Amino acid sequence: MKTFKLRKLEILEHDKQMDPYEIKLLDGLIINREDEHDQWLVEAYIDKAYEDYFIEKQNQEIMIQATITKDTNEPATFITNIQSINKIGNQINVLLLGKIIDKGKSIVEDLLTKLVKEGYEGLELIREFKKSF
């Protein structure tokens, strides 16, 4: 396993034309599990104000962009599922498990733009996106 500092976390939502929505981090880690499924674990320590959002998304796949180690690094794109939401005082810890899909930011953006223009949304958008890779 390899562990990295999570510098920035953004959510990509189909109903907002895939415009990134930044989650303000208090702290965070990202772990390449190097398992047979090529899964990554993202741990975001954030303000409790985000709790309702993540509870609402708990049974859905979430597309995220994560910037690792330095703010100047290009973000990597992942499709994730929420593993747990833990209350820690006035903050929460959200664990996301998923696969990296970043094959070049422009390729991902072009494909998502194309699929959204074709009318895909929600789970159908995610399924079609996965099929295209």
Side-chain angles (χ1 to χ4, degrees):
M1 285 195 277
K2 294 179 185 163
T3 303
F4 305 92
K5 174 79 171 157
L6 181 64
R7 302 297 300 175
K8 186 175 184 181
L9 177 64
E10 297 174 309
I11 307 292
L12 301 173
E13 298 217 30
H14 70 280
D15 59 343
K16 296 187 177 136
Q17 302 301 315
M18 303 310 284
D19 286 336
Y21 169 69
E22 185 175 352
I23 303 295
K24 302 289 184 198
L25 293 172
L26 299 171
D27 204 357
L29 294 173
I30 185 163
I31 301 168
N32 180 350
R33 293 171 44 139
E34 297 180 333
D35 62 10
E36 63 275 5
H37 303 291
D38 295 321
Q39 293 181 318
W40 291 69
L41 182 65
V42 178
E43 178 183 9
Y45 183 59
I46 56 179
D47 192 89
K48 194 173 180 179
Y50 294 106
E51 184 176 24
D52 289 343
Y53 174 83
F54 283 102
I55 288 172
E56 178 185 316
K57 299 288 185 185
Q58 203 156 18
N59 296 313
Q60 302 174 29
E61 288 185 319
I62 301 172
M63 189 173 298
I64 65 168
Q65 286 186 329
T67 303
I68 301 168
T69 308
K70 297 188 301 188
D71 293 332
T72 55
N73 286 344
E74 281 291 317
T77 305
F78 299 82
I79 293 180
T80 65
N81 289 307
I82 296 171
Q83 297 301 295
S84 67
I85 302 168
N86 306 294
K87 296 177 186 176
I88 304 171
N90 291 327
Q91 287 81 33
I92 60 171
N93 174 303
V94 178
L95 296 175
L96 302 148
L97 184 65
K99 287 186 142 196
I100 193 166
I101 58 169
D102 198 3
K103 296 184 179 178
K105 187 176 177 182
S106 64
I107 294 170
V108 171
E109 288 175 350
D110 290 347
L111 176 58
L112 288 173
T113 300
K114 175 183 171 276
L115 293 173
V116 169
K117 285 181 180 176
E118 289 176 3
Y120 291 102
E121 54 185 50
L123 292 176
E124 186 180 26
L125 172 66
I126 293 170
R127 274 189 233 112
E128 196 64 29
F129 183 82
K130 284 180 174 180
K131 278 192 330 190
S132 298
F133 271 96

